[in-house]
Amino acid sequence: GAGVSQSPRYKVAKRGQDVALRCDPISGHVSLFWYQQALGQGPEFLTYFQNEAQLDKSGLPSDRFFAERPEGSVSTLKIQRTQQEDSAVYLCASSHIRLARLETQYFGPGTRLLVL
Amino acid sequence: DQQVKQNSPSLSVQEGRISILNCDYTNSMFDYFLWYKKYPAEGPTFLISISSIKDKNEDGRFTVFLNKSAKHLSLHIVPSQPGDSAVYFCAASPETSGSRLTFGEGTQLTVNP
C-alpha cells in the first residue's frame, strides 16, 4: 500500500517490559511525527524527525521514551520499563516537504498499547 | 493546559441537514488550522485546513470558518451524509514550531439516515 503503516497494530505488555513500535512512512516523505492518543483524547505530539535528524523531542513524556530514524525512512519508538499510564494508541504521521510551510500529515492506523 | 478545545464530545444530526462542529483555541501564536476525520481503528485523515490570513475555506460539502478575534473556528458539513459519521479533530499549529500539531479532544458526529 501507499499509506503509512505501523506495526504491531496491538501490543500487550507487562508492566516493566520494554516495547518497540515501528512506523513505515510514505515513500519519499521527509518529515515523520509520533503522537500519543489516550482514550477519549486527541493525539498529543511526542517527537518529530526531518530525515534522520530528530528536530523536536519536547513531547516525549519521560526519558523512558526514545525514538530513532537512523536511515531517514523507517522509525522506531521505544518505551522502556513500561508503566500502566503508557497505555494509549501511538500514531505515526509523515509529510513531504515542499515550498509550502505546512504540509498535510498522513497518519498511520496506530499501535494500540496496553500495559498490564 | 488545553490549548485547543472542542467542547462538544458528540453531535447528532439528520441526513441532509447541516453539521456544525466547533473549536476554540487559546494560543494566539497559532496561525494554521486543520480538521481531521477519524474512523474507528484507523488513523486520522486530513479533511480541510485554513490559514490565519483567511476567514473561510471551502471544499465541496466542507467549509471551515475562522474568527481570529474570538479564537474560534468551525467546520460546516452540508449536506450531512451517514458516511460522515466519525470523530472530528480540530488541530492547530504556530509558525514557529514547524509542523507540530496541537489537537482538540475530538467530537463524535453521528449522521442518522
Side-chain angles (χ1 to χ4, degrees):
Chain A
V4 178
S5 61
Q6 293 186 245
S7 61
R9 292 293 310 275
Y10 303 92
K11 176 69 179 177
V12 179
K14 292 183 179 179
R15 190 163 62 92
Q17 184 179 350
D18 296 349
V19 298
L21 313 179
R22 176 187 170 107
C23 173
D24 285 83
I26 294 172
S27 178
H29 276 197
V30 170
S31 298
L32 185 144
F33 306 81
W34 284 99
Y35 292 85
Q36 180 190 59
Q37 185 177 14
L39 190 64
Q41 300 295 314
E44 289 196 10
F45 171 82
L46 293 177
T47 187
Y48 160 56
F49 291 85
Q50 191 172 114
N51 295 308
E52 69 278 2
Q54 190 174 18
L55 299 186
D56 186 350
K57 55 181 181 180
S58 62
L60 296 176
S62 77
D63 58 7
R64 296 185 296 103
F65 287 71
F66 172 77
E68 60 183 4
R69 194 186 184 198
E71 297 178 358
S73 56
V74 171
S75 177
T76 303
L77 176 67
K78 298 179 179 178
I79 309 173
Q80 297 177 326
R81 305 181 303 282
T82 52
Q83 303 294 315
Q84 286 184 322
E85 61 263 28
D86 300 335
S87 296
V89 175
Y90 290 85
L91 293 164
C92 175
S94 69
S95 67
H96 186 277
I97 291 181
R98 298 195 301 261
L99 292 178
R101 174 180 68 83
L102 195 70
E103 297 299 310
T104 299
Q105 295 184 23
Y106 296 88
F107 281 82
T111 294
R112 183 175 295 276
L113 173 65
L114 177 62
V115 181
L116 302 177
Chain B
D1 176 25
Q2 190 71 24
Q3 297 186 58
V4 177
K5 284 194 69 62
Q6 295 175 254
N7 290 315
S8 298
S10 62
L11 175 67
S12 183
V13 301
Q14 283 300 119
E15 180 178 6
R17 306 295 292 268
I18 184 171
S19 296
I20 300 178
L21 296 101
N22 294 300
C23 178
D24 296 291
Y25 62 95
T26 58
N27 188 340
S28 58
M29 299 301 292
F30 287 148
D31 70 342
Y32 199 80
F33 305 89
L34 308 90
W35 285 93
Y36 278 81
K37 173 178 169 180
K38 185 181 183 303
Y39 293 117
E42 295 183 11
T45 303
F46 171 75
L47 197 55
I48 192 169
S49 63
I50 188 167
S51 165
S52 60
I53 62 173
K54 294 185 174 182
D55 55 18
K56 176 182 175 181
N57 189 26
E58 191 171 354
D59 183 2
R61 297 185 297 114
F62 303 91
T63 302
V64 56
F65 296 91
L66 175 62
N67 182 334
K68 290 185 290 293
S69 61
K71 293 190 175 68
H72 177 83
L73 65 156
S74 61
L75 174 68
H76 293 210
I77 306 173
V78 182
S80 302
Q81 300 173 354
D84 295 331
S85 298
V87 177
Y88 289 79
F89 290 101
C90 168
S93 176
E95 184 176 8
T96 56
S97 81
S99 298
R100 170 179 178 162
L101 295 176
T102 299
F103 284 85
E105 307 95 323
T107 297
Q108 171 70 58
L109 172 66
T110 302
V111 180
N112 301 303

Coordinates of all heavy atoms in Angstrom, one line a residue, chain A residues 45-116:
Chain A
F45 N 1.4 15.4 20.6 CA 2.7 15.4 19.9 C 3.8 14.8 20.9 O 3.9 15.1 22.0 CB 3.2 16.8 19.5 CG 4.6 16.9 19.0 CD1 4.9 16.6 17.7 CD2 5.6 17.3 19.9 CE1 6.2 16.7 17.3 CE2 6.9 17.4 19.4 CZ 7.2 17.1 18.1
L46 N 4.6 13.9 20.3 CA 5.7 13.3 21.0 C 7.1 13.8 20.5 O 7.9 14.4 21.2 CB 5.7 11.8 21.0 CG 4.5 11.1 21.7 CD1 4.6 9.6 21.4 CD2 4.6 11.4 23.2
T47 N 7.3 13.6 19.2 CA 8.6 13.9 18.6 C 8.5 14.0 17.1 O 7.5 13.6 16.5 CB 9.6 12.8 19.0 OG1 10.9 13.3 18.5 CG2 9.3 11.5 18.4
Y48 N 9.5 14.7 16.5 CA 9.4 15.0 15.0 C 10.8 14.8 14.5 O 11.8 15.2 15.0 CB 9.0 16.4 14.9 CG 9.3 17.1 13.6 CD1 8.9 16.6 12.4 CD2 10.0 18.3 13.6 CE1 9.2 17.2 11.2 CE2 10.3 19.0 12.4 CZ 9.9 18.4 11.2 OH 10.2 19.1 10.0
F49 N 10.9 14.1 13.3 CA 12.1 13.9 12.5 C 12.0 14.6 11.2 O 11.0 14.6 10.5 CB 12.4 12.4 12.3 CG 12.7 11.6 13.5 CD1 11.7 11.1 14.3 CD2 14.0 11.4 13.8 CE1 12.0 10.4 15.4 CE2 14.3 10.6 14.9 CZ 13.3 10.1 15.7
Q50 N 13.1 15.2 10.8 CA 13.3 15.5 9.4 C 14.5 14.7 8.8 O 15.6 14.9 9.3 CB 13.6 17.0 9.2 CG 13.5 17.5 7.8 CD 13.6 19.1 7.7 OE1 14.5 19.6 7.2 NE2 12.6 19.7 8.3
N51 N 14.1 13.8 7.9 CA 15.1 12.8 7.5 C 15.5 12.0 8.8 O 14.7 11.6 9.5 CB 16.3 13.4 6.7 CG 15.8 14.0 5.4 OD1 15.2 13.3 4.6 ND2 16.1 15.2 5.2
E52 N 16.8 11.9 9.0 CA 17.3 11.1 10.2 C 17.4 12.0 11.4 O 17.7 11.5 12.5 CB 18.6 10.4 9.9 CG 19.8 11.3 9.7 CD 19.9 11.8 8.3 OE1 19.0 11.6 7.5 OE2 20.9 12.6 8.0
A53 N 17.3 13.3 11.3 CA 17.5 14.2 12.4 C 16.3 14.4 13.2 O 15.2 14.7 12.7 CB 18.0 15.6 11.8
Q54 N 16.4 14.2 14.5 CA 15.3 14.4 15.4 C 15.3 15.9 15.8 O 16.1 16.3 16.7 CB 15.5 13.5 16.6 CG 14.2 13.5 17.5 CD 14.3 12.4 18.7 OE1 15.4 11.9 19.0 NE2 13.2 12.0 19.3
L55 N 14.4 16.7 15.2 CA 14.4 18.1 15.4 C 13.7 18.6 16.7 O 13.9 19.7 17.2 CB 13.9 18.8 14.2 CG 14.7 18.6 12.9 CD1 14.2 19.5 11.8 CD2 16.2 18.8 13.1
D56 N 12.7 17.7 17.1 CA 11.9 18.2 18.3 C 11.5 16.9 19.0 O 10.9 16.0 18.5 CB 10.7 18.9 17.8 CG 9.9 19.5 18.9 OD1 10.1 19.2 20.1 OD2 9.0 20.3 18.6
K57 N 12.0 16.8 20.3 CA 11.5 15.7 21.1 C 10.9 16.2 22.4 O 10.9 15.5 23.4 CB 12.7 14.7 21.4 CG 13.9 15.3 22.0 CD 15.0 14.3 22.2 CE 16.3 14.8 22.8 NZ 17.3 13.8 23.0
S58 N 10.4 17.4 22.4 CA 9.9 18.0 23.6 C 8.6 17.4 24.1 O 8.3 17.6 25.3 CB 9.6 19.5 23.3 OG 8.7 19.7 22.3
G59 N 7.9 16.6 23.3 CA 6.7 16.0 23.7 C 6.9 14.6 24.4 O 6.0 14.1 25.0
L60 N 8.1 14.1 24.4 CA 8.3 12.8 25.0 C 8.1 12.9 26.5 O 8.8 13.8 27.1 CB 9.8 12.3 24.7 CG 10.0 12.0 23.2 CD1 11.5 11.6 23.0 CD2 9.1 10.9 22.7
P61 N 7.3 12.1 27.1 CA 6.8 12.3 28.5 C 7.9 12.0 29.5 O 7.8 12.5 30.6 CB 5.6 11.4 28.6 CG 5.7 10.4 27.6 CD 6.5 11.0 26.4
S62 N 8.9 11.1 29.2 CA 9.9 10.8 30.1 C 11.1 10.3 29.4 O 11.0 10.0 28.2 CB 9.4 9.8 31.2 OG 9.4 8.5 30.6
D63 N 12.2 10.1 30.1 CA 13.4 9.5 29.5 C 13.2 8.0 29.2 O 14.2 7.4 28.7 CB 14.6 9.8 30.3 CG 14.6 9.2 31.7 OD1 13.6 8.5 32.0 OD2 15.5 9.5 32.5
R64 N 12.1 7.5 29.5 CA 11.8 6.0 29.2 C 11.5 5.9 27.7 O 11.4 4.9 27.1 CB 10.7 5.4 30.0 CG 11.1 5.4 31.5 CD 10.0 4.6 32.3 NE 8.7 5.4 32.3 CZ 7.7 5.0 31.5 NH1 7.7 4.0 30.7 NH2 6.5 5.7 31.6
F65 N 11.1 7.1 27.1 CA 10.7 7.1 25.7 C 11.8 7.5 24.8 O 12.5 8.5 25.1 CB 9.5 8.1 25.5 CG 8.2 7.6 26.1 CD1 8.0 7.5 27.4 CD2 7.2 7.3 25.2 CE1 6.8 7.1 27.9 CE2 6.0 6.8 25.7 CZ 5.8 6.7 27.1
F66 N 12.0 6.8 23.8 CA 13.2 7.0 22.9 C 12.7 6.8 21.4 O 12.1 5.8 21.2 CB 14.4 6.2 23.3 CG 15.5 6.2 22.3 CD1 16.4 7.3 22.3 CD2 15.7 5.2 21.4 CE1 17.4 7.3 21.4 CE2 16.8 5.2 20.5 CZ 17.6 6.3 20.5
A67 N 13.0 7.6 20.5 CA 12.7 7.4 19.1 C 13.9 7.6 18.2 O 14.8 8.3 18.5 CB 11.6 8.4 18.7
E68 N 13.9 6.8 17.1 CA 15.0 6.9 16.2 C 14.5 6.7 14.8 O 13.5 6.1 14.6 CB 16.1 5.9 16.6 CG 15.6 4.4 16.5 CD 16.7 3.5 16.9 OE1 17.8 3.9 17.3 OE2 16.5 2.3 16.8
R69 N 15.3 7.2 13.9 CA 15.0 7.1 12.4 C 16.4 7.1 11.7 O 16.7 8.0 11.0 CB 14.2 8.2 12.0 CG 13.5 8.0 10.6 CD 12.8 9.3 10.1 NE 12.1 9.0 8.9 CZ 11.6 10.0 8.1 NH1 11.8 11.3 8.4 NH2 11.0 9.7 7.0
P70 N 17.2 6.1 11.9 CA 18.6 6.1 11.5 C 18.9 6.3 10.1 O 19.9 6.9 9.7 CB 19.1 4.7 12.0 CG 17.9 3.9 12.2 CD 16.8 4.8 12.5
E71 N 18.0 5.8 9.2 CA 18.3 6.0 7.8 C 17.3 7.0 7.1 O 17.2 7.0 5.9 CB 18.3 4.6 7.1 CG 19.4 3.7 7.6 CD 19.4 2.3 6.9 OE1 18.5 2.1 6.1 OE2 20.3 1.5 7.2
G72 N 16.6 7.7 7.9 CA 15.7 8.7 7.3 C 14.4 8.1 6.7 O 13.7 8.8 6.0
S73 N 14.1 6.8 7.0 CA 12.8 6.3 6.5 C 12.1 5.7 7.6 O 11.3 6.4 8.3 CB 13.1 5.3 5.3 OG 13.9 4.3 5.8
V74 N 12.3 4.4 7.9 CA 11.6 3.7 9.0 C 12.0 4.3 10.3 O 13.1 4.7 10.5 CB 11.9 2.2 9.0 CG1 11.4 1.5 10.2 CG2 11.4 1.6 7.7
S75 N 11.0 4.4 11.2 CA 11.2 4.9 12.6 C 10.8 3.9 13.6 O 9.8 3.2 13.4 CB 10.5 6.3 12.8 OG 10.7 6.8 14.1
T76 N 11.4 3.9 14.7 CA 11.0 3.1 15.9 C 10.9 4.0 17.1 O 11.7 4.8 17.4 CB 12.1 2.0 16.1 OG1 12.3 1.2 14.9 CG2 11.6 1.1 17.2
L77 N 9.7 3.8 17.8 CA 9.5 4.4 19.1 C 9.7 3.3 20.1 O 9.0 2.3 20.1 CB 8.1 5.0 19.1 CG 7.7 5.6 20.5 CD1 8.5 6.9 20.8 CD2 6.2 6.0 20.5
K78 N 10.6 3.5 21.0 CA 10.9 2.5 22.1 C 10.5 3.1 23.4 O 10.7 4.3 23.7 CB 12.4 2.2 22.1 CG 12.9 1.5 20.8 CD 14.3 1.2 20.8 CE 14.8 0.6 19.5 NZ 16.3 0.3 19.5
I79 N 9.8 2.3 24.2 CA 9.4 2.6 25.5 C 10.0 1.6 26.5 O 9.8 0.4 26.4 CB 7.9 2.6 25.7 CG1 7.2 3.5 24.6 CG2 7.5 3.2 27.1 CD1 5.7 3.4 24.6
Q80 N 10.8 2.1 27.4 CA 11.5 1.2 28.3 C 10.7 1.2 29.6 O 10.1 2.1 30.1 CB 12.9 1.7 28.6 CG 13.8 1.7 27.4 CD 15.2 2.3 27.7 OE1 15.3 3.2 28.5 NE2 16.2 1.8 27.0
R81 N 10.7 0.0 30.3 CA 10.1 -0.2 31.6 C 8.7 0.4 31.6 O 8.4 1.3 32.4 CB 11.0 0.5 32.7 CG 12.4 0.0 32.7 CD 13.2 0.7 33.8 NE 13.2 2.2 33.7 CZ 13.9 2.9 32.9 NH1 14.8 2.3 32.0 NH2 13.9 4.2 32.9
T82 N 7.9 -0.2 30.7 CA 6.5 0.4 30.5 C 5.7 0.5 31.8 O 5.9 -0.4 32.7 CB 5.7 -0.5 29.5 OG1 5.8 -1.8 29.9 CG2 6.3 -0.3 28.1
Q83 N 4.9 1.5 31.9 CA 4.0 1.7 33.0 C 2.6 1.7 32.5 O 2.3 1.9 31.3 CB 4.3 3.1 33.7 CG 5.8 3.2 34.1 CD 6.1 2.3 35.3 OE1 5.3 2.1 36.2 NE2 7.3 1.6 35.2
Q84 N 1.6 1.6 33.4 CA 0.2 1.5 33.0 C -0.2 2.8 32.3 O -1.0 2.8 31.4 CB -0.7 1.2 34.2 CG -0.6 -0.3 34.7 CD -1.5 -0.6 35.8 OE1 -1.7 0.2 36.7 NE2 -2.0 -1.8 35.8
E85 N 0.4 3.9 32.7 CA 0.0 5.2 32.1 C 0.5 5.3 30.7 O 0.1 6.3 30.0 CB 0.4 6.4 33.0 CG 1.9 6.5 33.1 CD 2.5 5.9 34.4 OE1 1.8 5.0 35.0 OE2 3.5 6.4 34.9
D86 N 1.3 4.4 30.3 CA 1.8 4.4 28.9 C 0.7 3.8 27.9 O 0.9 3.9 26.7 CB 3.1 3.6 28.7 CG 4.2 4.2 29.5 OD1 4.2 5.4 29.9 OD2 5.1 3.4 29.9
S87 N -0.3 3.2 28.5 CA -1.4 2.6 27.7 C -2.0 3.7 26.8 O -2.6 4.7 27.4 CB -2.4 1.9 28.5 OG -1.8 0.8 29.2
A88 N -2.0 3.5 25.5 CA -2.5 4.5 24.6 C -2.4 4.0 23.2 O -1.8 2.9 23.0 CB -1.8 5.8 24.7
V89 N -2.9 4.8 22.2 CA -2.7 4.5 20.8 C -1.5 5.4 20.4 O -1.5 6.6 20.6 CB -3.9 4.7 19.9 CG1 -3.6 4.6 18.5 CG2 -5.0 3.8 20.3
Y90 N -0.5 4.8 19.8 CA 0.6 5.6 19.3 C 0.5 5.7 17.8 O 0.5 4.7 17.1 CB 1.9 4.9 19.7 CG 2.1 5.0 21.2 CD1 1.6 4.1 22.1 CD2 2.8 6.1 21.8 CE1 1.7 4.2 23.4 CE2 3.0 6.2 23.1 CZ 2.4 5.3 24.0 OH 2.5 5.4 25.3
L91 N 0.4 6.9 17.4 CA 0.2 7.3 16.0 C 1.5 7.8 15.3 O 2.2 8.6 15.9 CB -0.9 8.3 15.8 CG -2.3 7.9 16.2 CD1 -3.2 9.1 16.4 CD2 -2.9 7.0 15.2
C92 N 1.7 7.4 14.1 CA 2.8 7.9 13.3 C 2.2 8.6 12.2 O 1.2 8.2 11.6 CB 3.7 6.7 12.9 SG 5.1 7.2 11.8
A93 N 2.9 9.7 11.8 CA 2.4 10.5 10.6 C 3.6 10.9 9.8 O 4.7 11.1 10.4 CB 1.6 11.7 11.0
S94 N 3.5 11.1 8.5 CA 4.6 11.6 7.7 C 4.0 12.7 6.7 O 2.8 12.8 6.5 CB 5.2 10.4 6.9 OG 4.4 9.9 5.9
S95 N 5.0 13.5 6.3 CA 4.6 14.5 5.3 C 5.8 14.8 4.4 O 6.9 14.5 4.7 CB 4.1 15.8 6.0 OG 5.2 16.4 6.7
H96 N 5.5 15.3 3.2 CA 6.5 15.6 2.2 C 6.7 17.1 2.2 O 5.8 17.9 1.9 CB 6.0 15.1 0.9 CG 7.1 15.3 -0.2 ND1 7.3 16.4 -0.9 CD2 8.0 14.4 -0.7 CE1 8.3 16.2 -1.8 NE2 8.7 15.0 -1.7
I97 N 7.9 17.6 2.4 CA 8.2 19.0 2.5 C 8.2 19.5 1.0 O 9.0 19.0 0.2 CB 9.5 19.3 3.2 CG1 9.4 19.0 4.6 CG2 10.0 20.7 2.9 CD1 10.7 19.3 5.4
R98 N 7.4 20.5 0.8 CA 7.5 21.3 -0.4 C 7.9 22.7 0.0 O 8.3 22.9 1.0 CB 6.2 21.2 -1.2 CG 5.8 19.8 -1.6 CD 4.7 19.9 -2.7 NE 3.5 20.5 -2.1 CZ 2.5 19.9 -1.7 NH1 2.4 18.6 -1.6 NH2 1.4 20.6 -1.2
L99 N 7.6 23.6 -1.0 CA 7.9 25.0 -0.6 C 6.9 25.6 0.4 O 7.2 26.4 1.2 CB 7.8 25.9 -1.9 CG 8.9 25.6 -2.9 CD1 8.7 26.5 -4.1 CD2 10.3 25.9 -2.3
A100 N 5.7 25.0 0.5 CA 4.7 25.5 1.5 C 5.2 25.2 2.8 O 5.8 24.1 3.1 CB 3.4 24.8 1.2
R101 N 4.9 26.0 3.8 CA 5.4 25.8 5.2 C 4.8 24.6 5.8 O 5.5 23.9 6.5 CB 5.1 27.1 6.0 CG 5.5 27.0 7.4 CD 5.2 28.2 8.2 NE 3.7 28.4 8.3 CZ 3.0 27.9 9.2 NH1 3.5 27.0 10.1 NH2 1.7 28.1 9.3
L102 N 3.6 24.5 5.7 CA 2.9 23.4 6.4 C 2.3 22.4 5.5 O 1.5 22.7 4.6 CB 1.8 24.0 7.3 CG 1.3 23.1 8.4 CD1 2.3 22.9 9.5 CD2 0.0 23.7 9.0
E103 N 2.7 21.2 5.6 CA 2.2 20.1 4.8 C 1.2 19.3 5.5 O 1.2 19.1 6.7 CB 3.4 19.2 4.4 CG 4.5 19.9 3.6 CD 3.9 20.4 2.3 OE1 3.2 19.6 1.6 OE2 4.1 21.6 2.0
T104 N 0.3 18.7 4.7 CA -0.6 17.7 5.3 C 0.1 16.6 5.9 O 1.0 16.0 5.3 CB -1.6 17.2 4.2 OG1 -2.3 18.4 3.7 CG2 -2.6 16.2 4.8
Q105 N -0.2 16.2 7.1 CA 0.3 15.0 7.7 C -0.6 13.8 7.4 O -1.8 13.9 7.6 CB 0.5 15.2 9.2 CG 1.5 16.3 9.5 CD 1.8 16.4 11.0 OE1 1.6 15.5 11.8 NE2 2.3 17.6 11.4
Y106 N 0.0 12.7 7.0 CA -0.7 11.5 6.7 C -0.4 10.5 7.8 O 0.7 10.2 8.1 CB -0.3 10.9 5.3 CG -0.6 11.8 4.2 CD1 0.3 12.8 3.8 CD2 -1.8 11.7 3.5 CE1 0.0 13.6 2.7 CE2 -2.1 12.5 2.4 CZ -1.2 13.5 2.0 OH -1.5 14.3 1.0
F107 N -1.5 10.1 8.4 CA -1.4 9.2 9.6 C -1.5 7.7 9.3 O -2.2 7.3 8.4 CB -2.5 9.6 10.6 CG -2.2 10.8 11.4 CD1 -2.5 12.1 10.9 CD2 -1.7 10.8 12.7 CE1 -2.2 13.2 11.6 CE2 -1.4 11.9 13.4 CZ -1.7 13.2 12.9
G108 N -0.8 6.9 10.1 CA -0.9 5.5 10.0 C -2.1 5.1 10.9 O -2.7 6.0 11.6
P109 N -2.4 3.8 11.0 CA -3.6 3.3 11.8 C -3.3 3.3 13.3 O -4.2 3.2 14.0 CB -3.8 1.9 11.2 CG -2.5 1.5 10.7 CD -1.8 2.7 10.2
G110 N -2.0 3.4 13.6 CA -1.7 3.4 15.1 C -1.4 2.0 15.6 O -1.7 1.0 15.0
T111 N -0.7 2.1 16.7 CA -0.4 0.9 17.5 C -1.1 1.1 18.9 O -0.8 2.0 19.6 CB 1.1 0.6 17.8 OG1 1.7 0.3 16.5 CG2 1.3 -0.5 18.7
R112 N -2.0 0.1 19.2 CA -2.7 0.2 20.5 C -1.9 -0.5 21.5 O -1.7 -1.8 21.4 CB -4.1 -0.3 20.4 CG -4.9 -0.2 21.7 CD -6.3 -0.7 21.5 NE -7.1 0.2 20.6 CZ -7.7 1.3 20.9 NH1 -7.6 1.8 22.1 NH2 -8.3 2.0 20.0
L113 N -1.3 0.2 22.5 CA -0.5 -0.5 23.5 C -1.3 -0.5 24.8 O -1.9 0.4 25.3 CB 0.8 0.4 23.8 CG 1.6 0.0 25.0 CD1 2.2 -1.4 24.7 CD2 2.7 1.0 25.2
L114 N -1.3 -1.7 25.4 CA -2.0 -1.9 26.7 C -0.9 -2.5 27.6 O -0.3 -3.5 27.4 CB -3.2 -2.9 26.5 CG -3.9 -3.3 27.9 CD1 -4.5 -2.1 28.5 CD2 -4.9 -4.3 27.6
V115 N -0.7 -1.8 28.7 CA 0.2 -2.2 29.7 C -0.5 -2.7 30.9 O -1.3 -2.0 31.5 CB 1.2 -1.1 30.1 CG1 2.2 -1.6 31.1 CG2 1.9 -0.5 28.9
L116 N -0.3 -4.0 31.3 CA -1.0 -4.6 32.4 C -0.2 -4.6 33.7 O 1.1 -4.6 33.6 CB -1.3 -6.1 32.0 CG -2.2 -6.2 30.8 CD1 -2.4 -7.7 30.5 CD2 -3.5 -5.5 30.9

